[in-house]
Amino acid sequence: MNIKVKTTMAFTVFGLLYTVVALMMPKAAVGNPFAPKVFPLILGIGLTVMGAMYTVKEYKHWKEEQASGVEEEISPKKQEIENKTNKLITITAVAGIVYAAIFEHAGYVISTSLFIGAIMFAINGKKKWMLNLAVAIIFSVAVYFVFSTLLAIPLPKIPGLEI
């Protein structure tokens, strides 16, 4: 089996696990008891269905390649794009895990600035480092201001500074 089939199978399994975990979420104490589960269930079921559909599609394509005995040729340009895409996906996944791990401890502004900065550097590279930093910090501070001040929705504060 090729890597595409294995990857789509992994997404399907992840979707199933996500759905099971969403079902185990506690019920809401006030209002509709199932309200907190609705959006996570939609995401989990959607990921499972899309992953399964894509798995079937890739499996059929792989079987056709096997039957014909001819593997699809990948051009150097297409391979380069695929490598960049895989690198960006990996960086985004790692940055997301780090973001979730430090969010409560570092506060919204610092953790979000680091996350957005990592993604911006992955996309733009080091050449536009000032733009990357400016966008990451300004976006994080602006969103924090809107949520905490204008909407009165508390976000984790910067430790030590309490802002």
Side-chain angles (χ1 to χ4, degrees):
M1 233 179 284
N2 69 9
I3 190 72
K4 288 182 179 179
V5 175
K6 291 177 184 177
T7 303
T8 57
M9 289 171 70
F11 276 109
T12 305
V13 170
F14 179 76
L16 284 170
L17 292 173
Y18 188 90
T19 303
V20 169
V21 171
L23 286 169
M24 294 189 306
M25 289 177 61
K27 294 179 181 177
V30 178
N32 182 353
F34 297 103
K37 295 181 181 185
V38 172
F39 186 67
L41 283 173
I42 290 170
L43 287 177
I45 292 168
L47 181 59
T48 303
V49 169
M50 294 298 186
M53 289 171 45
Y54 200 50
T55 299
V56 169
K57 177 185 171 217
E58 287 299 325
Y59 184 77
K60 285 180 181 178
H61 182 71
W62 176 70
K63 278 302 217 183
E64 289 171 2
E65 280 183 357
Q66 294 294 320
S68 69
V70 178
E71 279 197 39
E72 184 181 335
E73 285 290 320
I74 300 176
S75 69
K77 182 69 174 170
K78 186 174 180 181
Q79 184 65 44
E80 181 184 340
I81 292 169
E82 205 169 287
N83 289 343
K84 285 182 180 179
T85 303
N86 290 339
K87 180 182 174 187
L88 186 57
I89 289 169
T90 303
I91 290 170
T92 303
V94 170
I97 291 168
V98 170
Y99 179 69
I102 69 170
F103 186 74
E104 287 292 326
H105 306 292
Y108 175 82
V109 174
I110 292 173
S111 58
T112 304
S113 294
L114 291 173
F115 176 75
I116 294 174
I119 302 303
M120 295 284 292
F121 275 99
I123 293 170
N124 294 331
K126 296 175 186 174
K127 293 178 186 173
K128 298 181 180 179
W129 68 271
M130 293 220 11
L131 175 66
N132 295 343
L133 288 176
V135 168
I137 293 168
I138 291 170
F139 176 83
S140 300
V141 170
V143 169
Y144 183 81
F145 174 76
V146 167
F147 274 82
S148 64
T149 306
L150 301 178
L151 300 175
I153 298 173
L155 293 171
K157 298 178 187 270
I158 299 172
L161 299 177
E162 298 305 318
I163 53 172

